[in-house]
Amino acid sequence: IASSSAPEPSSSSLKSQMSLVRGAGDAGCRAMRGTLRSIPWAVVHRRRLPTALQCRRGLRIVFGAAARPHKSKGPGEDAYVADAGLGLAGVADGVGGSKTGPQVDPGAFSRRLLAWCHRHVEEGADAATALERARLSVRGDEVAERGGAATVLLARLAGDTLEFANLGDSVGFLLRPASRQMTVTRADDGDVVPDAQVTTESEGDDTEGEEAPQQAAPAPQRAPQRAVVFYPRAVLRTREQAYYFNCPYQMASGDDEEPSGLASCEYDAVSATARVGDVVVLATDGLTDNVHNEIVERVVLALIPTLWSAAARHDTLWAHDDPAREQLRAAVTDLSDDALAFEPVSSVLTELASRLADEAVTTYEDPQVETTPFAHEARAEGLTHFSGGKEDDVTVVAGLIVDDEAYVTAADEARLDNFGEYGL
């Protein structure tokens, strides 16, 4: 799409360059190509950039996390860890059905299991090897021996490769924001494209789309319009593993050394090449049982301008010696002037993780919701009495891929986890 002879845009004209693309057929395509040439981020990974930036393989990842334990489960049975120094993130979901006695705490088991995964990555293991070694480590572990089981999902960034190792029904996404023309509106619930991503000929907060809550005053309306946005398409998504409906693959302290039986360690290991600006999401099934993939993408979409703007503002995207950094920094910083865009990148990622987790909680608490991924799967199994969401713990880790030599604040480097007393 990008033309090698196209002039570089100035940051001050970014909003005017992101004007609506109207038209249809060949004329519309030509108009869109012209618009994409003028958007700096649309060409970040294309040949117009210096060779040094195209070929740079050293990447790192910054994280944020959010947990929403179910009100009936105290601190919850989910565990999470996010360690920017190791390029590692993980979530583990304690299986409630493994609580066979008062001494068994699935939450303690999931935390201990994930702590062992983290330990093995510290020792140099990749994601899949860490998962294998953790299965052995929990055998004979004083905490894990009390009983319990958990699903576990790890993600590790090694060079420019993002590796997932998954056992069970948690889900990992590698999302790549890329220019896309689509119909957009603005609404109060955030499940839309914000003004920072869409510029019309007459700017303002007029909205149309989903109904505003009854207690709020009706919002002004405008017709949906075609616009170029940075849509986070899924480059990679892990797949859930289950023996049967609502019974995922899981790891338990009593597993045999060789995979066998109900809790066998038949994990999936998948990977993809990552790029600067990619967004990574790991979530327990509390999210994906309640929130469709398209809604996950829309929630991420709404925060892309703020996230990239914050990263550019803090020099957290590109290497300090990159010849294109200053030009890109000025343009991408202008994507958002929201207050959150002035916070550390980890704060924006924590907000993203929180929005995703809250979307799941809102869904399963709403008695008016009938169709969810969980209900759809149940009905496919002939369980017609299932409807609505599934009440559960919800845990989300969100990450942003940046250059290995970019500036990262102390807040962005801080390790995140909820191990508590069950850490190693």
Side-chain angles (χ1 to χ4, degrees):
I1 295 176
S3 166
S4 59
S5 61
E8 292 292 344
S10 65
S11 60
S12 62
S13 63
L14 181 61
K15 286 192 174 182
S16 63
Q17 292 163 347
M18 294 177 66
S19 58
L20 295 181
V21 178
R22 294 187 175 88
D26 293 340
C29 290
R30 286 194 298 272
M32 185 171 183
R33 283 197 294 269
T35 299
L36 295 185
R37 290 192 188 102
S38 69
I39 300 175
W41 195 265
V43 297
V44 163
H45 304 301
R46 293 175 171 80
R47 294 180 181 176
R48 291 176 57 191
L49 290 182
T51 301
L53 185 58
Q54 293 179 51
C55 300
R56 190 182 300 280
R57 295 179 62 85
L59 300 175
R60 67 187 305 177
I61 186 166
V62 179
F63 293 110
R68 301 291 185 267
H70 188 265
K71 57 189 176 183
S72 68
K73 297 183 180 181
E77 296 170 347
D78 286 358
Y80 68 85
V81 64
D83 191 327
L86 294 176
L88 171 72
V91 293
D93 184 352
V95 178
S98 67
K99 187 174 176 60
T100 56
Q103 81 285 357
V104 179
D105 182 353
F109 182 87
S110 67
R111 288 165 171 79
R112 193 66 157 199
L113 171 61
L114 203 54
W116 275 115
C117 291
H118 181 269
R119 169 69 61 83
H120 293 309
V121 172
E122 282 185 312
E123 295 169 347
D126 59 23
T129 303
L131 194 152
E132 290 177 338
R133 292 178 181 175
R135 176 177 57 84
L136 300 176
S137 296
V138 295
R139 298 174 64 218
D141 178 272
E142 60 180 352
V143 173
E145 273 194 330
R146 301 172 194 167
T151 67
V152 59
L153 168 66
L154 301 179
R156 174 117 193 271
L157 183 66
D160 66 347
T161 301
L162 183 71
E163 311 163 340
F164 285 110
N166 180 50
L167 180 74
D169 57 0
S170 293
V171 173
F173 299 84
L174 175 61
L175 301 170
R176 180 158 300 155
S179 299
R180 172 179 169 182
Q181 182 187 165
M182 61 188 299
T183 301
V184 297
T185 56
R186 181 177 170 87
D188 292 336
D189 66 357
D191 183 21
V192 286
V193 182
D195 288 345
Q197 287 172 272
V198 179
T199 301
T200 63
E201 293 169 347
S202 58
E203 295 186 6
D205 290 331
D206 296 335
T207 62
E208 180 180 283
E210 302 182 24
E211 270 188 28
Q214 291 184 355
Q215 65 271 23
Q221 297 184 346
R222 68 180 175 201
Q225 302 182 58
R226 300 292 288 175
V228 174
V229 300
F230 300 128
Y231 195 88
R233 58 187 174 86
V235 174
L236 180 64
R237 182 195 188 276
T238 63
R239 305 304 302 178
E240 297 87 341
Q241 301 172 312
Y243 289 99
Y244 49 86
F245 174 66
N246 207 28
C247 181
Y249 288 14
Q250 54 203 252
M251 192 181 298
S253 59
D255 282 355
D256 296 331
E257 187 169 346
E258 295 299 325
S260 64
L262 183 63
S264 60
C265 189
E266 301 168 7
Y267 63 88
D268 289 336
V270 294
S271 63
T273 301
R275 296 178 179 176
V276 171
D278 285 353
V279 176
V280 179
V281 174
L282 286 77
T284 56
D285 67 329
L287 175 71
T288 51
D289 278 344
N290 290 291
V291 180
H292 292 280
N293 292 338
E294 294 79 5
I295 302 302
V296 172
E297 292 170 358
R298 289 293 184 119
V299 173
V300 175
L301 170 62
L303 267 180
I304 289 297
T306 303
L307 178 59
W308 278 355
S309 179
R313 187 170 278 112
H314 291 89
D315 285 326
T316 308
L317 273 176
W318 304 284
H320 58 82
D321 60 349
D322 195 310
R325 181 178 66 88
E326 284 304 320
Q327 184 178 39
L328 291 168
R329 180 181 185 273
V332 177
T333 297
D334 281 355
L335 285 174
S336 176
D337 58 3
D338 186 87
L340 191 59
F342 293 83
E343 297 294 323
V345 175
S346 55
S347 297
V348 187
L349 290 165
T350 298
E351 174 65 17
L352 172 57
S354 297
R355 290 189 186 185
L356 288 168
D358 290 341
E359 182 74 24
V361 174
T362 299
T363 298
Y364 75 62
E365 288 183 342
D366 186 350
Q368 302 302 315
V369 172
E370 293 186 1
T371 303
T372 63
F374 185 79
H376 178 78
E377 185 179 354
R379 291 167 185 169
E381 294 288 333
L383 304 173
T384 56
H385 61 285
F386 276 93
S387 65
K390 176 189 175 185
E391 295 190 10
D392 201 355
D393 298 332
V394 185
T395 300
V396 181
V397 177
L400 176 69
I401 304 290
V402 303
D403 192 286
D404 187 46
E405 297 182 17
Y407 174 73
V408 177
T409 67
D412 292 337
E413 289 185 308
R415 172 177 150 183
L416 309 172
D417 67 60
N418 68 340
F419 295 161
E421 64 183 293
Y422 303 112
L424 295 171

